[in-house]
Amino acid sequence: MSHSVNLSLVQSKSDMLKFWDLFNTYINELSRNISIGDEFDREYFYSDEYRDAVEQLRTRAVNPLRIYLIETSGIVGFCMYVTYFDEQGKCFLMEYYMEPEYRNLGFGKLAYLQIEQYIKKEGAAFIELTPTNEANLRFWSGLGFEITGEMDEDHKYFYRKNL
């Protein structure tokens, strides 16, 4: 079966509303399935403080946060990352989500590989992320991410892929 996905960079208020709708679904699911790291503060991700921080990061001039909506027959996922050009070209992939009915069918991998190309073209040297459960870990390991041995403040290991 041949799959295709389209990616669209979130730019408008309308795009942000679509993103926040899907983000709420993601946070609900994540709060049920997180198994790696410390306790998950679900309420923080619903707060105005968090949403204001995302907007500030998204609209800043240096190292802006990028949010891509993943579409097939509608919006089925998103990716959120920041590339820190002042930190040896580190790209930190903050959040990645695919709707459950699109998982294990190749859509997530296809979308990620397109996003990886965007990140590479932007000039990133490597991508880091922190898996939150065993299914995430298998997905990212299958795409070439390897454990670094370093942990974040929530006691999750960083995984890295050099570009």
Side-chain angles (χ1 to χ4, degrees), residues 79-130:
C79 178
M80 180 190 305
Y81 68 88
V82 175
T83 302
Y84 298 95
F85 297 102
D86 51 345
E87 293 183 32
Q88 295 81 40
K90 173 177 82 174
C91 175
F92 187 70
L93 199 151
M94 299 166 64
E95 310 292 348
Y96 188 83
Y97 178 71
M98 291 294 295
E99 291 274 21
E101 59 268 26
Y102 290 89
R103 295 179 194 158
N104 300 309
L105 298 172
F107 289 104
K109 180 179 180 178
L110 184 61
Y112 169 75
L113 292 173
Q114 287 181 34
I115 290 165
E116 183 181 281
Q117 290 306 306
Y118 290 172
I119 292 169
K120 196 173 185 176
K121 284 180 186 175
E122 290 173 2
F126 61 94
I127 301 171
E128 283 189 342
L129 51 82
T130 54

Side-chain angles (χ1 to χ4, degrees), residues 14-59:
S14 172
D15 292 342
M16 282 304 291
L17 290 174
K18 293 174 189 174
F19 164 73
W20 286 123
D21 281 345
L22 191 55
F23 187 83
N24 291 340
T25 301
Y26 163 68
I27 290 301
N28 284 333
E29 183 180 331
L30 183 61
S31 68
R32 290 188 308 270
N33 296 322
I34 195 165
S35 62
I36 299 174
D38 290 345
E39 188 173 321
F40 182 70
D41 184 3
R42 181 175 176 226
E43 294 311 310
Y44 171 69
F45 290 99
Y46 289 116
S47 71
D48 289 339
E49 176 187 2
Y50 180 76
R51 289 167 192 248
D52 291 346
V54 166
E55 189 60 18
Q56 282 184 324
L57 292 170
R58 190 180 71 80
T59 57

